[in-house]
Amino acid sequence: ADAKPVYIVLPEILQHLIERDEIIVLGKTMYGLRSSPKQWNLEFTRALVGEFGLHQLPNQPCVYVDRIESPTLVLLLHVDDCLITGEEAKVESVTSFMRTKWKITESQGDKQEFLGMNYRTDDLSA
């Protein structure tokens, strides 16, 4: 399910880099293209499911879990925002894996907000 080729016209300032009859094809999806979100989701899924071993929920394709029955790690993905919850060691493991693949920015401090929704965490082990 690779993306269809995207042909571009170089800006005038770069026209000297190509021959008059050459066609430029993008080699990689760029932010802002209509196909970019789908291509990003495919890349993310290939990495997290294919390489790391998570499972994508069949009816919620933006939810990934470590196991279908009684998951101990849940990852929610919305475009390029991600919320991970679960056992601390598993959260750190998936976060470390993601760092090897992409540049990620983690929330700092006590900010507990995802997609405009505030949330709180409770320690259920007490």
Side-chain angles (χ1 to χ4, degrees):
D2 289 333
K4 294 179 183 176
V6 176
Y7 303 97
I8 63 170
V9 175
L10 284 179
E12 207 170 297
I13 195 167
L14 299 175
Q15 288 291 322
H16 68 281
L17 298 174
I18 63 170
E19 296 294 323
R20 185 170 179 87
D21 57 350
E22 284 186 312
I23 298 172
I24 305 297
V25 180
L26 288 181
K28 191 174 179 182
T29 300
M30 291 176 55
Y31 185 84
L33 294 176
R34 286 182 12 189
S35 63
S36 295
K38 180 170 179 65
Q39 291 305 308
W40 162 242
N41 188 273
L42 289 172
E43 178 181 335
F44 191 85
T45 300
R46 281 186 200 118
L48 271 288
V49 173
E51 295 177 43
F52 191 76
L54 292 183
H55 304 277
Q56 193 175 25
L57 294 185
N59 296 327
Q60 295 293 331
C62 292
V63 178
Y64 302 80
V65 294
D66 60 342
R67 57 183 186 231
I68 300 295
E69 297 295 323
S70 303
T72 57
L73 175 91
V74 178
L75 184 149
L76 307 173
L77 177 68
H78 181 268
V79 188
D80 61 355
D81 289 323
C82 184
L83 177 69
I84 307 169
T85 186
E87 293 177 356
E88 188 173 344
K90 291 186 177 191
V91 170
E92 183 53 42
S93 178
V94 74
T95 304
S96 294
F97 173 79
M98 289 170 63
R99 274 193 216 100
T100 68
K101 296 288 188 187
W102 310 288
K103 180 181 177 187
I104 64 172
T105 304
E106 296 181 55
S107 295
Q108 301 296 318
D110 293 334
K111 182 181 178 190
Q112 294 185 320
E113 183 262 336
F114 180 65
L115 301 177
M117 296 177 284
N118 294 317
Y119 66 91
R120 72 171 201 206
T121 57
D122 293 324
D123 184 1
L124 300 177
S125 64

